[in-house]
Amino acid sequence: MERFEVYIFTALCSVNFLISCLLFSKITREQRDPYMDEIFHVPQAQKYCEGKFNEWDPMITTLPGLYLASVGLIRPVVWLADMKGSVVCSTAMLRFINLLFNSGNLYIIYLIICRLHIKDKSRSATRRIFSALALSTFPVLYFFTFLYYTDAGSTFFTLFMYLMALYGSHKAAALLGVCAILFRQTNIIWVAFCAGTVVAQKMDESWRTESKKRDEKSPSQVPLTINGAMRVMRFLLEFLKMPNNIKAVVLSTWPYIAVAVAFAVFVVLNDGIVVGDRSSHEACLNFPQIFYFLSFTLIFSLPTSLSYQRVVRFLQSLRKQPLIYAVLMTVSLFLVWKFTFVHKYLLADNRHFPFYVWKRLFQRHGLVRFLLVPGYVFAAWNFVDTLRSKSLFWLLVFSTCLVAATVPQKLLEFRYFILPYVLYRVHIPVPSLPRLLLEFGLYTAVNAATVYIFINKTFQWPDSMAAQRFMW
C-alpha cells in the first residue's frame, strides 16, 4: 500500500467510524432496552460478564462466540479504566462491540480486494478503497452493527479466515474458522469453501495441463454445452481416481479437514447443528431460497453489475441456447412448485421487512411465484456472467457452498444472505469509480431509510404496550 493510499484509507476509516458512532448514539438513545433477538443475547452476555459460564438460555441457537468475544474485549477495558457498575456490560456497551467489528470488516474487505485483484494494475487505489467502503456499508450487514447480533462478528471472522486462506496461511485460517463457527454454526460451510478454493486451484492446474496436451487455445474455457459438461464430469472422476491428487489435496487442506472432523463430532454429540431451541430452526430443502438470494444479489449489485451490454449478451445467449434455458425454466418452475416452504415467523412477525415482501408480492396471487421464474433465470445468468473471470472449478465450489448455505433454511431471512453476497461482491472485477459512487449512494440511501424507519416509525401490538420497530 502506497503512502498516499494509506492516508486516504485511514481518513475514510476514521470518517466511517465517526458517522457510525453518531448513528449508534442516536439508535441507542431511542432503543435503550434489548430489542428482538437482543432479549436473549444481552442477558446471556451479562451472565458471562459475571463469570457465570455454566448458565445458558435454551432459546439461544448459536454457540457462545459472541459472548466470549464481548467478555474478552470488555474486561481488559474495564480493568484499565477501572469501570464498575451496570455500565460494564450494559446493552450499549455490548452493542458497541459490533461497531468495532464493523471497522474490522472494512479493513479486511479492503485487504481481500487488494489480494484478489493484485494482478489488475488498472485498478486505482481510489477504486479499491471506495469498493471496500461501499461494501462495508452493505445495508443488511451495516444495520446490525448497531444491535447486539452475531452478524458483524460472524462476518469479520469468516472474512478474516478467507484472507488468511488467500495468503496460504491455512493453519491460521482454520483457527479463524473455528472462531467463525463459534459465532454461527453454518460458517462451517465457508470453512469448506476455503478448503474448496485450494482444491479448485489444483484442479485448474491439472485442467490447464490436460488442455495443453490437447493443444487448445483457451484451456480455461469450457463450452456451455452437454458435451462440455460431460467433459468436466470425466475430468473430475479422473482427478479423484489418482492417489497423488488425493494426497496433495489432503496435505494442502488438512487444517480445514481437522475443523470439519471436530465439527462432525460436535454435531454427533449435540444430536444436530442447532443448540438450544430447535423447533424453529428445522432444516428442509427450500430450493427457492437460492432464487431469493439471486434476486437479492441482482438488486443490490445493480450499480456494479448491470449494463446495456450485459443485457444484450443475455439476449444473445438466450437466442443461441434456447434448449438450455428451456430446461432451466422447467426445472426452476418445478422447484418453485414442489419445494416452496413458508416459515411460521415469516407469516407472523410484522417487524421484519421479509414479512412485507412475502405479503405484498408472493401472497398477492398464487401464480406470482411462478411468474417470477424468468427473472430468477436472468438473475442466475447475471450472477454467473459477473464471475466469468473466475475459473470453472472455483465457480463450482462457490456455487456448491452457496446452495448449502441457503437451501436448507426454511425462513426467508435477509441476514442469511450477508456472507454469500459479500464474497460474491469482492470477487467481481473492481467497478469503475462512477459505478462505485452509485453503489455507495444506493447503500447510503437504503441505510438512511432503514435507520429512519427503525427510529421514527414505531407501532404497537394490540396485546403489548412496548414500542415495536421495523427492521431487516
Side-chain angles (χ1 to χ4, degrees), residues 292-303 305 379 421 442-443:
Y292 308 149
F293 169 77
L294 291 171
S295 304
F296 174 91
T297 299
L298 178 64
I299 291 170
F300 278 103
S301 67
L302 277 177
S305 70
Y421 179 84
L442 171 65
Y443 290 177

Side-chain angles (χ1 to χ4, degrees), residues 230-301:
M230 292 299 294
R231 181 185 165 191
V232 171
M233 290 298 296
R234 285 195 299 270
F235 170 80
L236 289 173
L237 290 174
E238 289 298 325
F239 184 89
L240 294 174
K241 283 181 182 178
M242 297 180 65
N244 289 338
N245 289 336
I246 301 299
K247 181 180 178 181
V249 166
V250 171
L251 290 176
S252 301
T253 61
W254 71 264
Y256 306 111
I257 294 173
V259 174
V261 170
F263 185 79
V265 172
F266 156 74
V267 171
V268 171
L269 295 177
N270 187 57
D271 194 24
I273 293 178
V274 178
V275 298
D277 180 29
R278 303 183 185 186
S279 61
S280 301
H281 295 80
E282 298 176 352
C284 65
L285 291 177
N286 192 3
F287 285 106
Q289 281 278 24
I290 194 69
F291 301 144
Y292 308 149
F293 169 77
L294 291 171
S295 304
F296 174 91
T297 299
L298 178 64
I299 291 170
F300 278 103
S301 67

